[in-house]
Amino acid sequence: MLVPSSGTGQYAALSAKIIRFVRHGCTNRPFFHIVVAERRREQFEPVIEQVGSYDPMPNERNEKLVSLNLERIAYWLGNGADCTKPVQELLGLSGFLPIHPLSYMAAWKNRQAAEAAVVEEKPEGDHK
Amino acid sequence: MLRLLSNLRLFQPVSLHNHQTVRWARKPRKPRWMPTAKSKMFKIPERIKYPEEENKEVLRLFNNYRTAMKSIKQYLTNRYNVQLQAKSDTEQLKKAFEEDFARCSSINDKWNEQIRKEREVRIAKELQEEIEFSKNRKAEVLRQRAEELEQAEEIVRKEKQAVASLITPEQLDEVIERAINNPVDYNFAIDLDGNRIYGRETMSADAVKAKQ
């Protein structure tokens, strides 16, 4: 029996639930489903419900596309589900949750790297 | 058993046939049972040191994030949690249940009444049939008994007839005398045509019977 990747809706009542990624791409082409699953299950086992998707590779307009079913995410968070850090970051960037500290850290590291690159480009004696 | 298990594949990682692990698959990697290299045995990687300000900032951010998440989770729990919602309108659920029960009960009573009427009619009919059957059976039994009595009387009558020709002790001597005087010879000859030919001195059974 094949199980739909959108979820089976079956779960143990008292098990820990988690909202996390499942990698549904292929080699060198990542694509993630955002799913609600039982925490003890492995990545490719049947999930309870799919609540979104995430394409981490930028398209031709330099966009990383995310879709989220916010109603269901709110429902599952209200019923005791946890999120993994990457999902928390995505939800923070989408404005549903506060922005995750890891996002801030990534941002300032990128900023520092960019500044360093600018400094490196200019010759030593050139700057004011 | 195998078929049963194959129906339970929901609980197995069914998508794994699309999944190929490449860990340890590359050639130049050393076998996983090999120990740490001698040259690396006592190498302790230097711990990365972040600036003090950055550490404080990260700690602050995480504290804020946790606090915010706690309150958000509490809000969502109050709003969406199944158990809390179920608890909140227990009274209403109970009332709804009682109304439903009353409705079902009235329907059930109606059906019971209807079935009671049908049952009474049926029982009366069955009683009538039973009475009819017993009457028939009684008549039949009586008829059989009369028949048996008839047969018994028939037998008695025949016996009584037979009694007339019986030999009594008073007659005994006379009967013996007669039997001795009239000997019966049952021997006979037979010719080609099947005729019985009795002897000159003997008498045929018919003749004896006639004489008696």
Side-chain angles (χ1 to χ4, degrees), chain A residues 52-125:
Chain A
S53 63
Y54 171 48
D55 183 358
M57 291 187 85
N59 62 9
E60 71 266 18
R61 277 171 284 175
N62 202 24
E63 295 162 341
K64 297 180 181 178
L65 297 181
V66 184
S67 67
L68 296 168
N69 187 347
L70 294 179
E71 278 181 24
R72 296 305 291 166
I73 291 173
Y75 168 84
W76 279 109
L77 287 177
N79 282 285
D82 287 328
C83 298
T84 55
K85 275 178 193 167
V87 172
Q88 281 176 337
E89 283 183 66
L90 274 190
L91 290 176
L93 292 174
S94 71
F96 182 68
L97 296 181
I99 291 184
H100 196 272
L102 288 175
S103 303
Y104 286 118
M105 288 160 72
W108 80 54
K109 275 182 185 143
N110 288 344
R111 199 158 54 234
Q112 284 168 3
E115 282 168 8
V118 168
V119 170
E120 213 167 87
E121 264 182 28
K122 291 177 180 175
E124 279 299 311

Side-chain angles (χ1 to χ4, degrees), chain B residues 29-179:
Chain B
R29 193 184 285 274
K30 85 181 171 189
R32 57 170 74 176
W33 57 85
M34 294 282 280
T36 313
K38 273 184 182 175
S39 59
K40 308 285 187 233
M41 188 79 88
F42 302 105
K43 186 186 173 189
I44 298 170
E46 200 177 325
R47 196 162 173 156
I48 301 170
K49 291 209 169 175
Y50 296 103
E52 186 67 20
E53 285 175 21
E54 197 177 317
N55 270 346
K56 275 185 182 169
E57 178 65 6
V58 168
L59 190 64
R60 186 186 69 80
L61 285 173
F62 267 103
N63 286 342
N64 288 352
Y65 184 76
R66 272 197 298 273
T67 311
M69 281 303 291
K70 223 182 277 177
S71 60
I72 288 170
K73 278 219 161 184
Q74 198 171 14
Y75 168 74
L76 290 175
T77 303
N78 288 335
R79 175 114 188 246
Y80 291 107
N81 193 288
V82 174
Q83 289 169 344
L84 285 182
Q85 283 183 357
K87 219 180 274 178
S88 64
D89 49 20
T90 311
E91 284 302 313
Q92 203 175 351
L93 282 176
K94 198 179 172 189
K95 201 178 159 195
F97 172 78
E98 276 169 1
E99 277 173 11
D100 187 50
F101 180 78
R103 196 170 53 78
C104 292
S105 182
S106 71
I107 292 172
N108 191 29
D109 288 347
K110 206 164 73 188
W111 287 347
N112 279 347
E113 184 64 21
Q114 189 185 338
I115 285 169
R116 189 180 63 76
K117 280 176 191 164
E118 285 173 9
R119 186 173 59 226
E120 279 171 1
V121 169
R122 176 173 56 78
I123 285 175
K125 194 181 156 204
E126 280 178 1
L127 185 66
Q128 209 57 39
E129 281 173 359
E130 198 76 1
I131 288 168
E132 197 72 13
F133 177 76
S134 333
K135 275 181 182 169
N136 287 344
R137 193 150 171 269
K138 193 181 171 188
E140 179 69 11
V141 167
L142 287 177
R143 196 186 59 75
Q144 276 185 4
R145 280 185 190 166
E147 209 168 273
E148 281 168 11
L149 196 64
E150 188 85 0
Q151 284 172 0
E153 280 180 354
E154 180 71 28
I155 290 167
V156 169
R157 202 160 53 241
K158 277 181 183 172
E159 288 297 320
K160 274 183 181 171
Q161 278 180 0
V163 162
S165 64
L166 286 181
I167 299 167
T168 58
E170 293 84 45
Q171 296 172 323
L172 191 61
D173 287 341
E174 192 187 335
V175 170
I176 289 170
E177 193 72 18
R178 197 164 66 219

